[in-house]
């Protein structure tokens, strides 16, 4: 029987988080942007640096949650609160673990953290060509930005925590 858990990220997770992030991004960026923009050495270094900052944040500014199964990192989610607005900045599941409930479990854990912190509304931006992610977020209750204004190649969605 496998052991699945959601836990806070640790600095020791950074290499695994960056590698998972890169694998997941390749599934939706491939064919839409140049490979070096999501999988090159410079991008991997930038990705790891971003995750390093996220993991080091004070809990009042955000957090990073990891999904782990039998000691293997299978998913990661990051959120940040800045200027009174909370944003789900990342939610990635390793493609070999898709459709196993990992994303839903990470999302539910984030919602619980936000609810306990008194967060009422959360935003996210999702890549316009990532229809799989858009369907996932819709199923979790996220709604399109009422203004309907895209943020470049991304769509803004909102989640009302009070209704969850």
């Amino acid at each position: 029987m496998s052991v699945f858990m959601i836990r806070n990220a640790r600095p020791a997770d950074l290499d695994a988080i960056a590698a998972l992030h890169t694998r997941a991004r390749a599934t939706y960026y491939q064919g839409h942007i140049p490979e070096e923009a999501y999988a090159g050495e410079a991008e991997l270094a930038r990705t790891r640096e971003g995750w390093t900052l996220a993991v080091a944040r004070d809990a009042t500014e955000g957090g990073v949650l990891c999904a782990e199964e039998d000691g293997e990192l299978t998913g990661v989610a990051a959120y940040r609160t800045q200027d009174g607005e909370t944003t789900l900045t990342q939610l990635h599941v390793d493609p070999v673990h898709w459709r196993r409930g990992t994303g839903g479990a990470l999302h539910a854990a984030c919602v619980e953290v936000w609810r306990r912190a008194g967060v009422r509304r959360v935003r996210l931006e999702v890549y316009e060509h990532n229809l799989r992610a858009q369907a996932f977020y819709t199923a979790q209750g996220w709604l399109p930005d009422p203004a309907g204004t895209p943020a470049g190649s991304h769509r803004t969605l909102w989640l009302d925590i009070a209704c969850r």
Side-chain angles (χ1 to χ4, degrees):
M1 181 172 180
S2 67
V3 177
F4 177 83
M5 64 186 275
I6 304 289
R7 61 172 176 77
N8 289 316
R10 303 180 289 253
D13 297 319
L14 289 168
D15 288 337
I17 290 170
L20 184 152
H21 181 170
T22 299
R23 287 190 301 277
R25 289 178 75 207
T27 65
Y28 56 86
Y29 281 144
Q30 192 170 36
H32 298 288
I33 65 173
E35 185 173 351
E36 63 272 6
Y38 62 85
E41 286 301 316
E43 181 59 16
L44 184 58
R46 191 187 71 75
T47 296
R48 192 177 192 291
E49 181 181 334
W51 283 106
T52 298
L53 293 172
V55 168
R57 274 192 196 109
D58 180 86
T60 61
E61 297 173 352
V64 178
L65 299 177
C66 291
E68 184 179 286
E69 186 172 350
D70 295 333
E72 176 189 0
L73 189 77
T74 58
V76 64
Y79 55 91
R80 184 169 190 187
T81 299
Q82 189 172 23
D83 300 325
E85 181 176 275
T86 299
T87 302
L88 176 61
T89 58
Q90 308 279 346
L91 195 155
H92 299 288
V93 174
D94 194 318
V96 300
H97 291 275
W98 283 355
R99 311 285 307 158
R100 296 183 188 177
T102 303
L106 275 169
H107 186 270
C110 287
V111 169
E112 187 55 35
V113 168
W114 298 329
R115 185 178 285 121
R116 284 194 314 260
V119 173
R120 300 182 52 78
R121 194 167 182 232
V122 180
R123 75 182 285 281
L124 72 79
E125 292 180 6
V126 61
Y127 185 55
E128 67 184 342
H129 295 291
N130 192 347
L131 302 179
R132 180 193 49 77
Q134 290 179 47
F136 169 80
Y137 291 123
T138 297
Q140 303 303 318
W142 293 80
L143 299 172
D145 183 13
T149 308
S153 62
H154 289 72
R155 304 287 175 244
T156 301
L157 304 176
W158 291 91
L159 180 67
D160 184 351
I161 301 299
C163 294
R164 307 295 316 143

